[in-house]
Each structure stands twice: as structure tokens, then as C-alpha cells.
Amino acid sequence: MSAGRAPPGCDRWRGIAVEADRLREVFTAKWAHRPLLAEGAIGRQVLVLLIQPEVACAAADDLAQAVEEAFPQHLDAEGVLSSPGLGVQLGARVLAEVGDDHGCFADACGLKAHAGLSAITCASGIRTSITRRRIEYD
């Protein structure tokens, strides 16, 4: 098969080999190079940038492991985990957001209202409507 012809069953000519040759010429042209010392520095900077996502992922994994070990030891862990849909990771986040000060909310309804889960009651004269909260994401 030649580089200018599409393989059978393809709708278009891709020209991958031709494009690769063109890009090789562009990137090896004399004008694309910097002084040797600058190229070395830029290369080191790119290597550092390429390592950062790997380091961030490793840190996130370490944090998740720490949460898995520490959260079940919290006094409120059993109560938080009893909520439907909350596992250890999300339960720890909910507890961190709400806090563990039991005097902060008078009752469970106060916590529910703080979380935005309680119903909205609108009463005006004769009519009363009870609706749920809607969260709109941008």
C-alpha cells in the first residue's frame, strides 16, 4: 500500500507518514532550536512539569489511605456511615464540612437545613407549597 492511498474500507486518506515527515522537518529545522544551554534548561523544566501529575496522584492516594485508616476511629463515623450513599471517603468529607461540634445544631432538622436537604415551604395567604431544593450547576 502506498502512503498516498487510503486502505480499503477507510473513508479518507490519513497521510500519517507524510505528516510525520513534515513535523520532523519542522522540529529539526535550525530556526526551531535555541542555544544549547537554553535547550537543556527547557528540557529539565519540561521533565519537572511531566512529573508533577504523578506526584499529585501519589499524594492523593496517600491521603485516601490515611482517611481509610483514620475515619473509622472517629466517634461519629458510625452515624455518618449509616447515611445512604456515604462511604468512608465521602463520609469523612461530610464530617469535615459539617464539623463534629454537636452543639452547633439544635437537632437533626437544623443539620438537614444547613446541608440544603430540607424541603422549602412557601405559604402565602391561602396557598401553601412544599418543594425541594434545586441546585443548578454552571
Side-chain angles (χ1 to χ4, degrees):
M1 176 186 326
S2 68
R5 209 180 259 175
C10 291
D11 293 338
R12 62 179 185 216
W13 172 70
R14 292 182 185 262
I16 293 172
V18 174
E19 184 66 11
D21 290 339
R22 186 188 71 79
L23 289 174
R24 190 175 297 110
E25 287 176 16
V26 168
F27 290 125
T28 57
K30 186 159 181 72
W31 64 269
H33 289 283
R34 302 223 179 213
L36 191 58
L37 190 59
E39 277 191 358
I42 292 170
R44 300 268 311 181
Q45 184 179 13
V46 168
L47 287 175
V48 168
L49 291 173
L50 290 173
I51 292 171
Q52 287 180 352
E54 185 177 335
V55 172
C57 287
D61 290 341
D62 291 345
L63 180 60
Q65 183 63 33
V67 168
E68 292 284 338
E69 294 169 2
F71 180 68
Q73 298 171 13
H74 194 279
L75 296 175
D76 294 331
E78 187 177 339
V80 171
L81 292 175
S82 68
S83 298
L86 291 183
V88 174
Q89 295 293 325
L90 189 56
R93 175 130 188 210
V94 166
L95 186 61
E97 292 286 336
V98 172
D100 57 357
D101 181 15
H102 294 284
C104 187
F105 302 104
D107 55 4
C109 292
L111 175 60
K112 193 173 180 182
H114 176 73
L117 300 174
S118 60
I120 301 172
T121 304
C122 296
S124 154
I126 302 172
R127 296 183 183 189
T128 300
S129 69
I130 300 173
T131 59
R132 63 181 174 87
R133 294 187 184 275
R134 292 196 173 109
I135 299 173
E136 306 227 354
Y137 297 102
D138 292 336

